[in-house]
């Protein structure tokens, strides 16, 4: 069977482009482009056959199908040659029941999809494998591409640098100076990318990279480039697959540039269209109160949109004031009866610490999602008998500085509810014994 995909303008003007064109917006109307698939061809295969095929490929070693993304190649990017695919077997991250945290908050059916358990420590790997594979195919087919480039809040750049290095393609990375964690800064440096640290914020880096990539030999890897959405959309398909092809009641995720909520929705809609699920979950987007343009728009029924100047937040990957995929995200939230909630710095920091005390090890963005969950549950928007999946977007180990400061009570203006600083004692048995007695262990 021959499957195919192409770019189509999201404003519905009818223009189509090849996925091998170096293009990020519609030439006619300036709209963003989405990848569309030949649904008629995909529908030739029954839902039962798709499920069986995808289940068989899970963790198989037949290249490239052992990847969570490429295991669904026909739905993602059918036309790229398997030999050109650049994959670290991303995806297939664990989705587990957060039993103790769920019981503590009165939500026994709470699950966490741990997307940070991935090659570069965030869910950005899912999209980057697709983008870099297409770039490698383009170079192979003679397109004059000299480098791939992105602006980043830290995770996109880590993923781009790793996949580009694996492919042998130069990567140019624009980071806002002092606004990404040490771990995120060192990742692209170690992978040999050209790292430019600029005196601006993410939105400022984004403006410059858009200028830079008007040169068609420098290929743009930000999520304006919807090839990444094709990989990112597998997270939703993977979640329903992990529940034996059944959708949960809710999926919650932190949201900044809004590409990921759109991708999540896209994957789930395709799964429904092709019959592998029969109902859709509701989606809740969680924003930092310091970078909340989607939340503000939600409060006005999505009738108005105003970019904001993003303020500093511990959830640095979503410190974005003018999200590129706003239009797409609104469409998605409308299709999924979605809601938007926000979390302040206090709330997100304490949500992280509370979750960590139950054995998780979450990043600040996941903290935003958890804090939003606590509020939605308290308000009765989410009911205590519902099944809820929280998408945990990055590994907690990327944010050690934040956790160290929290637990040593050094975070400015934060009243810590769960700080757990170590006791520093002389190496003396009597002193140690006395300290342990004072813990009041039962
Ligand atoms: C990119 C990212 C997000 C937000 O995704 P958007 O598509 O920008 O909304 C959330 N958490 C982490 C850790 C990320 O890297
Ligand atoms: Zn158009």
């Amino acid at each position: 069977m021959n499957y195919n995909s192409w770019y189509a303008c999201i404003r519905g003007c009818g223009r189509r482009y090849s996925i091998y064109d170096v293009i990020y917006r519609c030439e006619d109307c300036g709209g963003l482009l989405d990848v569309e698939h030949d649904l008629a061809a995909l529908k030739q295969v029954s839902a039962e056959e798709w499920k069986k095929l995808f289940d068989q490929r899970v963790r198989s070693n037949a290249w490239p199908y052992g990847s969570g993304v490429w295991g669904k190649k026909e739905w993602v990017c059918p036309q790229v040659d398997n030999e050109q695919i650049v994959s670290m077997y991303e995806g297939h991250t664990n989705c587990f029941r957060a039993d103790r945290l769920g019981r503590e908050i009165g939500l026994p059916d709470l699950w966490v999809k741990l997307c940070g358990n991935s090659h570069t420590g965030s869910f950005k790997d899912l999209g980057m494998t697709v983008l870099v594979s297409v770039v490698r195919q383009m170079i192979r087919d003679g397109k004059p591409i000299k480098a791939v480039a992105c602006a980043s809040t830290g995770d996109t750049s880590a993923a781009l640098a790793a996949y580009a290095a694996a492919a042998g393609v130069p990567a140019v990375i624009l980071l806002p100076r002092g606004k990404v964690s040490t771990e995120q800064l060192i990742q692209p440096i170690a992978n040999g990318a050209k790292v430019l640290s600029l005196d601006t914020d993410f939105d400022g880096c984004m403006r410059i990279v858009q200028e830079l990539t008007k040169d068609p030999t420098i290929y743009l890897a930000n999520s304006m480039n919807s090839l990444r959405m094709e990989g990112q959309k597998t997270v939703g398909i993977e979640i329903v697959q992990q529940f034996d092809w059944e959708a949960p009641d809710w999926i919650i995720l932190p949201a900044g540039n809004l590409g990921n909520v759109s991708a999540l929705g896209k994957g789930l809609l395709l799964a429904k269209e092709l019959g592998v699920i029969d109902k859709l979950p509701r989606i809740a987007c969680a924003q930092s109160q310091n970078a909340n343009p989607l939340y503000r728009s939600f409060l006005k029924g999505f009738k108005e949109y105003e970019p904001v100047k993003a303020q500093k937040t511990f959830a640095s990957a979503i410190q974005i004031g003018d999200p590129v995929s706003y239009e797409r995200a609104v469409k998605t939230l409308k299709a999924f009866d979605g809601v938007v909630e926000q979390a302040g710095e206090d709330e997100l920091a304490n949500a992280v610490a509370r979750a960590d005390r139950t054995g998780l090890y979450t990043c600040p963005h996941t903290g935003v999602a958890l804090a939003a969950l606590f509020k939605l549950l308290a308000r009765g928007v989410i009911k205590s008998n519902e099944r809820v999946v929280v998408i945990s977007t990055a590994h907690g180990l990327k944010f050690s500085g934040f956790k160290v400061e929290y637990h040593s009570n050094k975070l400015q203006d934060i009243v810590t509810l769960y700080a757990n600083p170590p006791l520093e004692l002389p190496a003396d048995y009597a002193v140690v014994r006395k300290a342990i007695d004072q813990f009041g262990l039962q």
Side-chain angles (χ1 to χ4, degrees):
M1 183 51 96
N2 259 339
Y3 302 104
N4 197 9
S5 66
W6 54 83
Y7 288 133
C9 173
I10 71 166
R11 295 197 179 143
C13 80
R15 270 301 287 272
R16 284 185 179 182
Y17 307 86
S18 157
I19 64 162
Y20 298 123
D21 286 342
V22 180
I23 189 166
Y24 318 107
R25 281 187 182 275
C26 178
E27 280 172 354
D28 286 354
C29 75
L32 291 174
L33 304 172
D34 265 353
V35 175
E36 278 182 2
H37 289 264
D38 182 352
L39 286 176
L42 292 171
K43 282 180 179 166
Q44 300 286 308
V45 176
S46 73
E48 285 315 307
E49 287 171 287
W50 282 124
K51 291 188 216 174
K52 202 170 137 214
L53 179 69
F54 293 165
D55 286 344
Q56 270 169 3
R57 287 174 176 169
V58 172
R59 297 186 198 283
S60 88
N61 247 340
W63 177 265
Y65 302 106
S67 151
V69 173
W70 297 105
K72 300 179 174 70
K73 185 182 179 204
E74 295 84 352
W75 292 20
V76 169
C77 188
Q79 64 265 58
V80 75
D81 290 344
N82 283 355
E83 301 74 60
Q84 301 310 323
I85 286 174
V86 185
S87 169
M88 322 286 201
Y89 275 23
E90 48 293 312
H92 293 318
T93 53
N94 46 328
C95 183
F96 67 92
R97 184 146 166 217
D99 182 54
R100 184 172 164 204
L101 182 62
R103 276 189 283 124
E104 266 185 33
I105 64 170
L107 185 71
D109 211 358
L110 171 64
W111 296 72
V112 174
K113 173 73 170 157
L114 215 54
C115 297
N117 283 356
S118 185
H119 183 65
T120 71
S122 87
F123 70 163
K124 298 290 199 292
D125 292 348
L126 300 173
M128 213 49 89
T129 182
V130 176
L131 182 136
V132 175
S133 299
V134 170
V135 168
R136 182 145 98 170
Q137 181 82 57
M138 288 160 81
I139 292 172
R140 167 81 182 207
D141 296 344
K143 276 249 151 71
I145 293 175
K146 288 191 292 213
V148 286
C150 75
S152 178
T153 51
D155 290 326
T156 295
S157 44
L160 179 63
Y163 284 83
V169 176
V172 175
I173 305 282
L174 274 58
L175 291 173
R177 186 197 317 240
K179 295 192 173 76
V180 306
S181 75
T182 306
E183 295 86 346
Q184 290 169 319
L185 175 62
I186 200 64
Q187 285 182 288
I189 292 173
N191 285 136
K194 307 292 178 208
V195 178
L196 309 172
S197 192
L198 307 184
D199 277 321
T200 180
D201 56 6
F202 170 78
D203 297 295
C205 291
M206 191 66 217
R207 280 190 290 274
I208 293 178
V209 84
Q210 281 180 321
E211 279 296 310
L212 205 61
T213 52
K214 282 183 184 159
D215 171 351
T217 66
I218 304 176
Y219 190 79
L220 178 68
N222 277 97
S223 62
M224 259 181 84
N225 183 323
S226 55
L227 289 174
R228 277 179 51 204
M229 297 236 317
E230 292 309 288
Q232 298 289 160
K233 81 183 182 192
T234 62
V235 71
I237 306 170
E238 200 170 284
I239 288 171
V240 298
Q241 184 178 19
Q242 284 168 316
F243 287 106
D244 287 328
W245 303 103
E246 218 177 274
D249 296 303
W250 285 91
I251 297 178
I252 304 187
L253 79 169
N257 219 10
L258 308 182
N260 277 289
V261 57
S262 315
L264 172 70
K266 193 172 186 212
L268 290 165
L269 287 173
L270 184 61
K272 180 138 186 293
E273 175 90 33
L274 295 177
V276 305
I277 50 172
D278 46 29
K279 99 172 195 208
L280 296 174
R282 293 182 69 187
I283 291 179
C285 273
Q287 289 214 295
S288 158
Q289 198 171 315
N290 289 354
N292 62 354
L294 183 70
Y295 176 72
R296 286 164 186 252
S297 170
F298 170 71
L299 293 182
K300 294 181 177 158
F302 297 123
K303 287 191 190 72
E304 282 171 45
Y305 167 68
E306 261 185 82
V308 302
K309 172 89 185 135
Q311 306 298 314
K312 194 169 166 42
T313 168
F314 302 125
S316 48
I318 55 174
Q319 189 178 328
I320 295 173
D322 190 8
V324 164
S325 293
Y326 170 80
E327 270 178 69
R328 286 179 173 138
V330 170
K331 260 198 209 169
T332 303
L333 288 171
K334 286 181 176 165
F336 286 80
D337 195 8
V339 299
V340 185
E341 185 50 89
Q342 66 173 1
E345 297 299 285
D346 251 320
E347 291 170 326
L348 81 87
N350 285 312
V352 165
R354 183 174 188 185
D356 286 1
R357 283 170 70 94
T358 67
L360 280 80
Y361 197 74
T362 56
C363 73
H365 322 89
T366 306
V368 172
L370 288 170
L373 167 63
F374 301 163
K375 290 163 118 172
L376 292 168
L377 192 61
R379 285 217 315 276
V381 177
I382 293 180
K383 310 273 186 306
S384 60
N385 62 348
E386 290 184 304
R387 172 169 290 169
V388 177
V389 178
V390 173
I391 298 185
S392 178
T393 48
H395 203 294
L397 284 171
K398 282 198 180 200
F399 300 90
S400 303
F402 160 76
K403 286 183 190 282
V404 168
E405 289 191 358
Y406 180 94
H407 287 290
S408 49
N409 278 309
K410 285 189 186 138
L411 290 181
Q412 266 175 17
D413 306 326
I414 298 298
V415 180
T416 55
L417 302 178
Y418 309 99
N420 182 30
L423 290 181
E424 291 178 356
L425 300 174
D428 177 322
Y429 171 74
V431 176
V432 169
R433 181 71 236 185
K434 188 161 170 239
I436 287 173
D437 289 343
Q438 283 171 353
F439 290 152
L441 303 174
Q442 304 278 324

